[in-house]
Amino acid sequence: MATIYEVASMAGVSPSTVSRVLNGQNVSAEKAKRVREAAKALSFTPSRIARTLRLQTSEVIALVIPDIENPFFTAMARGVEDVAQAAGYSVVLCNSDEDHAKEARYLDIAIEAKMAGVILAAAGDNCDLSGLIERNRPVVAVDRSPHGFDIDAVMVDNRAGGRTATAALQSQGFSRIACITGPRDVETAVHRADGWRDATRTTGRVDERYLKYADFRVDGGNKAMRELLDMPEPPDAVFVANNLMGVGALQVLAQTGQLPPTLGVAVFGDLPFAPIAPMAITVIPLPARRLGVTAANLLLDRINGDDQPPRTIVLRNQAA
């Protein structure tokens, strides 16, 4: 493998000039051309390890997500990776399993490994980003925004989505509309439930008995749906606040013979699979890949020196 000294010798410049050219610093056009031609002729590849030591960061970013088995986060990860790879960065995918301790360990690893930045879909509101921020490591929140930290974020309008889904069920003639949402300490779960309240309030009193908190997974939707059907006056429709819980709820409805249109169903997020034709369900699609693309572009801007105030980008969604 060629060295920087061999490139310098062939180009007729000093090694420091080669270094400046390779790092995009100001060098005369004639010298820069000679350096690039020599590097190409010698198949010279700059050492990433040396660059890491010099800049105190690597060409690696961490993507921390709560559930790698959820197709929503898989699509988001693809968006992040596409943008990062095009910019010369590698992505390390970290699955927190909605576990705060596991998430914290991944954030520590990002610091220890001198990763260039982190894209985070937090396990909950009490995520601690202080270690990263103290070391000037850029962090972009995606889908969920931790409390107490002024950082860039890319979100969807969760409250509007919950309102749209519930209103769609109301327009179909349903009146006792329940809501199955995620954990109480996850921002997206709270906002989607708030949207359900907004729409329910327009036609009468909000009955909190019809609100169930679950874990954003298939089993959580399954259990919450069974609890709703066991009520003295069960709902005639349900808004489910994520795709996997939607699958769990539909499993129960299939087992009990109450699939739509017998009982109305609206789901926030595209269903990965369902026991009935998707056209029988109201789906509020989520721009998963676009979330990842937008978050990755924000992070790369920060890595490259963007110092404007933190911003929150809200991507709109529309009912299918």
Side-chain angles (χ1 to χ4, degrees):
M1 180 182 293
T3 68
I4 193 171
Y5 300 100
E6 291 170 324
V7 173
S9 177
M10 178 177 282
V13 299
S14 68
S16 61
T17 298
V18 175
S19 178
R20 286 198 295 273
V21 172
L22 297 176
N23 288 306
Q25 297 176 13
N26 190 26
V27 175
S28 71
E30 187 269 334
K31 287 183 178 180
K33 180 181 178 182
R34 296 206 319 258
V35 168
R36 293 192 182 99
E37 289 176 347
K40 182 178 181 180
L42 294 170
S43 299
F44 174 74
T45 302
S47 168
R48 290 198 171 199
I49 295 175
R51 184 180 186 278
T52 296
L53 292 173
R54 183 176 67 255
L55 299 180
Q56 294 300 300
T57 61
S58 65
E59 291 174 315
V60 177
I61 63 176
L63 171 61
V64 186
I65 59 175
D67 185 5
I68 197 172
E69 294 182 334
N70 189 330
F72 166 73
F73 290 112
T74 305
M76 179 193 294
R78 180 57 188 267
V80 170
E81 184 179 39
D82 287 348
V83 172
Q85 287 285 335
Y89 285 81
S90 298
V91 179
V92 174
L93 182 60
C94 308
N95 180 46
S96 72
D97 280 323
E98 304 273 10
D99 183 310
H100 294 288
K102 191 174 180 181
E103 177 182 81
R105 178 56 185 151
Y106 280 133
L107 297 180
D108 287 342
I109 290 172
I111 294 171
E112 294 165 6
K114 300 184 184 300
M115 294 187 189
V118 174
I119 296 174
L120 171 69
D125 291 341
N126 59 347
C127 175
D128 185 5
L129 303 177
S130 56
L132 287 161
I133 291 172
E134 288 168 3
R135 292 166 177 80
N136 295 315
R137 294 288 188 271
V139 183
V140 175
V142 62
D143 183 54
R144 310 171 179 185
S145 184
H147 288 174
F149 297 96
D150 193 15
I151 60 173
D152 293 318
V154 185
M155 314 292 289
V156 296
D157 195 337
N158 290 294
R159 187 164 187 159
R163 190 164 51 240
T164 299
T166 307
L169 292 172
Q170 290 171 329
S171 70
Q172 296 168 33
F174 299 107
S175 58
R176 298 189 312 280
I177 302 171
C179 174
I180 300 174
T181 194
R184 296 173 185 268
D185 68 338
V186 175
E187 180 183 52
T188 53
V190 173
H191 289 176
R192 291 172 192 179
D194 286 342
W196 165 78
R197 288 190 184 92
D198 292 343
T200 303
R201 195 174 290 116
T202 63
T203 59
R205 183 176 60 87
V206 177
D207 190 340
E208 295 287 335
R209 294 176 302 170
Y210 287 132
L211 174 61
K212 297 293 181 182
Y213 292 95
D215 63 1
F216 273 145
R217 297 176 187 259
V218 173
D219 287 346
N222 194 299
K223 180 176 182 291
M225 193 71 246
R226 292 187 185 280
E227 291 174 356
L228 288 168
L229 294 181
D230 286 341
M231 293 177 65
E233 186 177 26
D236 60 359
V238 60
F239 159 54
V240 190
N242 95 323
N243 55 352
L244 295 187
M245 292 191 305
V247 170
L250 286 166
Q251 288 174 346
V252 174
L253 296 179
Q255 292 163 6
T256 58
Q258 300 183 69
L259 284 171
T262 302
L263 192 147
V265 177
V267 178
F268 204 113
D270 295 317
L271 288 164
F273 47 91
I276 62 171
M279 63 281 298
I281 305 165
T282 297
V283 173
I284 307 299
L286 288 171
R289 185 181 180 280
R290 191 153 57 97
L291 280 166
V293 167
T294 307
N297 280 320
L298 273 178
L299 186 70
L300 290 173
D301 286 347
R302 293 300 185 190
I303 292 171
N304 291 327
D306 184 350
D307 61 356
Q308 66 177 295
R311 62 226 158 196
T312 295
I313 297 175
V314 178
L315 304 182
R316 305 298 172 184
N317 43 58
Q318 296 178 343

